[in-house]
Amino acid sequence: LTELSAEERLNWSFVRISCMGYLNAFCVPHIDTKGTNEVARVDIAKKMLLDAQLESGMENPIIGFGVDELAGVVYENGKVTIMSLGKRKNGIGEATCHILYVDQRREVMCIPLTPNTGEAATLEELIERAMRSVEALQSPLDLIVSEEISISHAVHRRGVSGAVDWGLIEATAPVKTPEADAPLVADQL
């Protein structure tokens, strides 16, 4: 960056390039950061992915794979393991990787994956899980919301974003009850 002028560091954009080909995905490193042009990489990635998908047609999905700063991907024997070395750049949550894809409404979804589980999965398995978790959250019949709690405390019948299906997180949600202020486990609801 030292060879660029201050104006050049603000006036640029990302370009798509071919890489090593291990993962059949549109890969975006440091997706949780901003470039020197002060534009969030995730926003640029979403626009590039949407443009590429619309150009090629909706019948063959183009998948994006975003990697946060302080996160990494171990690729071994056709499977990936998601690793995290700490908090995300904004300090909220663990650094991780994300699956990006264009849904039927032509919106780009960016789904975080749980890091440091020790699980190795194919990219196809990770994509399917990410898509299932979004579908589960978008189904209004599967969302259980008590009148006594706010929407931020809603409990999903299939688990939290489907992650319970894979044993990645515990299925608990705080629910205010007249009897006690203790949270109930989701399967008790």
Side-chain angles (χ1 to χ4, degrees), residues 87-114:
K87 296 284 184 195
R88 294 181 74 206
K89 194 83 166 162
N90 63 11
I92 301 172
E94 287 291 312
T96 191
C97 295
H98 311 263
I99 297 292
L100 292 89
Y101 68 94
V102 180
D103 69 8
Q104 299 88 352
R105 297 173 309 203
R106 298 184 178 196
E107 293 180 17
V108 179
M109 306 303 292
C110 183
I111 314 304
L113 304 169
T114 304

Side-chain angles (χ1 to χ4, degrees), residues 6 8-9 16 23 27 43 52 84 94 109 111 122 139 142 158 172 179 182:
E8 289 172 322
R9 284 193 297 265
R16 288 177 60 184
L23 298 176
C27 190
D43 294 339
S84 176
E94 287 291 312
M109 306 303 292
I111 314 304
T122 66
S139 173
D142 285 340
R158 291 187 195 135
T172 60
E179 301 83 35

Side-chain angles (χ1 to χ4, degrees), residues 23 77-80 120-129:
L23 298 176
N77 299 324
K79 294 190 174 191
V80 295
T122 66
L123 183 60
E124 291 75 20
E125 290 168 334
L126 294 175
I127 293 165
E128 190 228 324
R129 290 176 186 178

Side-chain angles (χ1 to χ4, degrees), residues 1 9-10 12 14 30-42 44:
L1 290 175
R9 284 193 297 265
L10 292 174
W12 64 274
F14 290 97
H30 314 287
I31 196 166
D32 62 331
T33 64
K34 290 182 180 180
T36 57
N37 59 0
E38 291 301 312
V39 178
R41 287 179 183 238
V42 69
I44 295 169

Side-chain angles (χ1 to χ4, degrees), residues 143-172:
L143 194 59
I144 303 168
V145 182
S146 167
E147 292 176 12
E148 299 172 9
I149 60 174
S150 70
I151 192 69
S152 64
H153 292 109
V155 179
H156 195 276
R157 227 185 318 208
R158 291 187 195 135
V160 182
S161 304
V164 167
D165 295 346
W166 316 305
L168 303 178
I169 59 174
E170 293 181 21
T172 60

